[in-house]
């Protein structure tokens, strides 16, 4: 290759390199005509017993659980290592799915819901089927602690008439 050809190749290589560098360095301005949409969170459907057995595995993950409601409670509120204020939150318990002849709460699973949201479900009874989803935010004390972000009543037990 002669010197003129080498010089031409060198100049082309430098020109391409400078253009690539400039393109990388130039900030891209957002298009004002497009809207940015957030992607929906995805949730892992999980058994409550599996969540209790492996809280470290589900830590910082979004989970969805279908279970029988037991009761609203103050369990776990204001505990500093996994703080949820009793002024803003209430916890609720679900029934253990592995016990069918008694109503035994799964107290190892700490589930929190904002008080304003919980007030919509004040008529819930023990045994009503619910589905909730949220994020496991702590595994303090070796238990899963989660925020319920979505809460749905699937079915309610028939009310007994007491006349």
């Amino acid at each position: 290759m002669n010197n003129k050809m080498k010089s031409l190749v060198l100049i082309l290589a430098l020109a391409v390199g400078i253009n690539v560098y400039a393109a990388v360095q130039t900030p891209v301005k957002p298009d004002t005509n497009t809207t940015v949409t957030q992607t929906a969170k995805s949730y892992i459907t999980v058994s409550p017993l599996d969540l209790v057995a492996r809280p470290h595995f589900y830590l910082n993950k979004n989970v969805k659980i279908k279970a029988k409601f037991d009761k609203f409670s103050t369990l776990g509120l204001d505990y500093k290592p996994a703080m949820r204020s009793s002024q803003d939150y209430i916890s609720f318990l679900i029934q253990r799915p592995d016990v069918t002849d008694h109503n035994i709460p799964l107290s190892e699973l700490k589930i929190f819901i904002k008080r304003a949201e919980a007030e919509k479900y004040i008529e819930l009874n023990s045994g009503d089927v619910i589905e909730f989803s949220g994020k496991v935010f702590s595994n303090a004390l070796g238990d899963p602690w989660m925020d319920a972000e979505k809460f749905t009543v699937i079915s309610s037990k028939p009310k007994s008439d007491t006349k």
Side-chain angles (χ1 to χ4, degrees), residues 25-55:
Q25 296 299 317
T26 304
V28 177
K29 293 180 182 175
D31 184 1
T32 57
N33 295 329
T34 58
T35 56
V36 177
T37 57
Q38 291 183 342
T39 57
K41 289 183 185 178
S42 61
Y43 295 90
I44 304 166
T45 301
V46 63
S47 152
L49 293 177
D50 187 38
L51 181 57
V52 167
R54 303 185 308 150

Side-chain angles (χ1 to χ4, degrees), residues 2 7-9 31-32 71 78 81 89 116 133 138 141 144 146 148 155-156:
N2 63 24
S7 297
L8 184 59
V9 169
D31 184 1
T32 57
K71 64 183 152 241
D78 300 319
Y89 290 88
S133 52
S138 178
L141 302 174
M146 76 175 283
S155 66
S156 297

